Amino acid sequence: MQNPHAVSQKQLSQVAELLRPEYSDHSERFDRAIEILKEPATVLEGTLSIEMDDGSSRDFTAYRSQHDDSRGPYKGGIRFHQDVSLSEVKALSTWMTWKCSVTGIPYGGGKGGIIVDPKELSEAELQRLSRAYARFIAPEIGAWRDVPAPDVNTNGQIMAWMADEYQLWLNEQGVVQENPLAAFTGKPISLGGSQGREEATGYGGVVVLDALAQKKGWKPAETTIAIQGFGNVGYWFAYHAHQRGYRVVAVSDSRGGAYVESGFNPDDALKTKKADGSLETFANAHGEYITNDALLELPVTVLVPAALEGVIHEKNAAEIQAQVVIEMANGPTTDTADEILHSNDVLVVPDVLANAGGVTTSYFEWVQNLHGYCWKRQEVIDKLEPLMQEAFEKMWKALENHETTGRMATYLQAVKQVVDAMMLRGRV
Ligand code: NAD
């Protein structure tokens, strides 16, 4: 099992080696900046006690890591999961700093979590835990300080409870001028959420796919795509890829996947899945029902992991036949697998770029909340597309100038912007 914080530190050291020549006039300041960025600026750790439905009380460990705010307020999700750890939260907050920098949105990185299996809680208990968490982080968050959002096992309803509790807390402090809705994103539309947010992550990934296809000279109809995961991100990626004429040949859920060599309309697969809870009927009617492991090794142009972490690892990386992996899930490729793919000439478009459409649209939600705007879906999409294209172009340019991986090429740009901001502020 990798230690995520150690992985994020190792990646930063690797990027620093590539970036250092650009800072030859300020090498000491540069080294100080890199050392600072190896650890989050602040980590909150606490125990939340909540009353359970049977009248007993239960304690939960909670974290919030604020990595760096040189480019703007901390930004990042809150995860409710039994495997949450301090190391994971620190690493995820570091990766959020890079992700926000990749599309140029004015945020730093943050991440939070509670060690809990939310499936064991009733809705009332979940609400009490969410409100307790909001109070725990309240003194350290705010629209201009740290803006949390949903992550694994948290959603718009949980953000709504947290924003409400935060407002109660502000009232108790006598603070009336702050807009509590702008302190959380990923809220439901009827409580200040943004149009277009639901599809934004998948959509942004397809903008990257399109930009890549142009560079590679791929024709959409001949470009085959296998997608692991058919939830929010996987479905919207499949939908928009199909809309743009790409050949989606495989999608999967936790049980297995449908593989249809000639391609299919993802909405047809979704309809059958909704009707009988699995992709098996659709798969058997049109092609083959395959395992998730087999999906990863299909002979396709593009592989899109859009479900879990660590699914491409040292044991299967050499079997990947795709020319490009577009990481829509967070952290689907292990460190070792990244190196194997690179040596096999498989380009990995990293998560911090490929799935940045989500946080970028969260930024649009924040802007709307702060200014009282209520943009239409198309306005949101029109703002998102050029930011994703520009982020991809930067990675591509860095790849032309350095013999390195897609991940390092992306980090080069992202880390440079953060270091520059630290220097401009005089922090180093
Ligand atoms: P989701 O819960 O909507 O969908 C997850 C999908 O993965 C489901 O189809 C589920 O069946 C499938 N799945 C579960 N276990 C699986 C397994 N063992 N093998 C294959 N598939 C499996 O989640 P989501 O919002 O689509 O998020 C997917 C990934 O994208 C996560 O890594 C998440 O952190 C990342 N991400 C999401 C967003 C967003 O806006 N939703 C933004 C950035 C990153």
Side-chain angles (χ1 to χ4, degrees):
M1 180 71 184
Q2 302 189 108
N3 169 337
H5 184 48
V7 171
S8 71
Q9 290 177 318
K10 184 176 152 203
Q11 289 168 339
L12 184 56
S13 300
Q14 288 170 341
V15 179
E17 287 315 306
L18 294 173
L19 263 184
R20 190 167 283 107
E22 294 189 34
Y23 291 89
S24 51
D25 292 345
H26 313 282
S27 55
E28 277 181 28
R29 292 173 73 196
F30 175 76
D31 288 340
R32 275 207 304 280
I34 295 298
E35 277 316 300
I36 290 172
L37 291 168
K38 283 189 179 164
E39 288 293 334
T42 314
V43 180
L44 309 176
E45 184 173 354
T47 304
L48 310 180
S49 291
I50 65 154
E51 190 186 328
M52 306 302 281
D53 292 345
D54 64 5
S56 66
S57 147
R58 208 174 136 190
D59 291 349
F60 297 90
T61 304
Y63 305 103
R64 180 79 185 163
S65 171
Q66 299 173 324
H67 176 251
D68 180 79
D69 67 348
S70 307
R71 299 188 58 262
Y74 303 107
K75 180 90 193 82
I78 299 165
R79 180 172 287 204
F80 285 4
H81 197 277
Q82 58 276 18
D83 296 338
V84 162
S85 67
L86 183 59
S87 166
E88 181 186 71
V89 168
K90 282 179 169 184
L92 289 167
S93 68
T94 308
W95 290 323
M96 281 306 294
T97 301
W98 314 145
K99 191 184 291 190
C100 293
S101 181
V102 161
T103 55
I105 55 176
Y107 287 139
K111 204 74 172 194
I114 303 181
I115 304 178
V116 57
D117 178 357
K119 286 188 221 85
E120 290 177 357
L121 302 186
S122 70
E123 178 155 321
E125 289 164 344
L126 190 61
Q127 179 171 172
R128 287 198 285 277
L129 186 62
S130 304
R131 287 184 181 276
Y133 186 80
R135 276 197 181 255
F136 163 64
I137 57 173
E140 304 297 336
I141 64 164
W144 295 104
R145 188 157 183 192
D146 182 355
V147 186
D151 192 71
V152 175
N153 292 334
T154 52
N155 54 26
Q157 172 61 79
I158 291 175
M159 293 306 110
W161 289 328
M162 288 191 182
D164 186 62
E165 192 66 26
Y166 180 59
Q167 181 159 9
L168 293 174
W169 183 85
L170 286 174
N171 291 346
E172 287 164 21
Q173 310 301 310
V175 180
V176 287
Q177 67 273 52
E178 191 176 330
N179 174 2
L181 291 184
F184 290 86
T185 63
K187 302 179 297 293
I189 299 274
S190 42
L191 197 73
S194 179
Q195 299 288 347
R197 174 65 186 86
E198 197 199 331
E199 66 190 282
T201 306
Y203 186 90
V206 172
V207 173
V208 165
L209 168 68
D210 242 0
L212 184 71
Q214 279 174 28
K215 299 285 183 203
K216 296 267 190 190
W218 294 338
K219 293 194 177 70
E222 293 164 13
T223 306
T224 53
I225 302 174
I227 303 167
Q228 184 186 61
F230 203 38
N232 172 286
V233 175
Y235 167 73
W236 285 109
F237 189 101
Y239 172 87
H240 286 294
H242 178 73
Q243 289 286 314
R244 292 187 183 205
Y246 291 94
R247 187 140 62 96
V248 176
V249 298
V251 296
S252 68
D253 61 19
S254 57
R255 297 182 211 181
Y259 176 43
V260 184
E261 208 180 331
S262 54
F264 59 90
N265 180 343
D267 277 327
D268 293 338
L270 186 67
K271 227 179 278 167
T272 327
K273 180 175 154 58
K274 277 191 175 155
D276 49 34
S278 131
L279 288 159
E280 193 168 357
T281 314
F282 178 82
N284 290 333
H286 302 278
E288 258 184 273
Y289 193 52
I290 57 170
T291 64
N292 266 295
D293 288 344
L295 181 141
L296 295 172
E297 296 169 14
L298 286 173
V300 287
T301 323
V302 179
L303 174 64
V304 182
L308 304 178
E309 287 170 29
V311 291
I312 305 175
H313 42 74
E314 60 183 344
K315 296 212 175 84
N316 65 2
E319 311 306 322
I320 304 293
Q321 297 190 61
Q323 293 178 42
V324 175
V325 175
I326 300 185
E327 291 189 332
M328 294 305 294
N330 281 320
T333 313
T334 66
D335 232 21
T336 321
D338 220 22
E339 283 162 25
I340 298 171
L341 292 171
H342 182 59
S343 59
N344 287 349
D345 275 337
V346 180
L347 172 65
V348 176
V349 181
D351 48 6
V352 292
L353 165 56
N355 69 31
V359 71
T360 304
T361 307
S362 282
Y363 158 67
F364 297 145
E365 176 179 338
W366 177 77
V367 171
Q368 291 173 75
N369 292 161
L370 287 172
H371 295 275
Y373 294 144
C374 194
W375 295 337
K376 301 258 183 286
R377 172 193 174 271
Q378 198 56 46
E379 276 183 270
V380 172
I381 294 294
D382 288 349
K383 288 179 167 63
L384 175 62
E385 185 138 356
L387 293 185
M388 294 301 299
Q389 282 165 342
E390 206 178 307
F392 174 82
E393 284 300 330
K394 284 187 189 161
M395 177 196 82
W396 196 261
K397 205 163 154 213
L399 273 177
E400 285 172 346
N401 294 334
H402 299 269
E403 168 38 42
T404 189
T405 63
R407 194 174 321 278
M408 285 299 125
T410 305
Y411 278 24
L412 262 178
Q413 307 300 313
V415 174
K416 180 171 169 27
Q417 288 201 102
V418 176
V419 170
D420 287 349
M422 292 170 86
M423 288 187 175
L424 285 166
R425 281 176 181 271
R427 286 186 178 179
V428 286

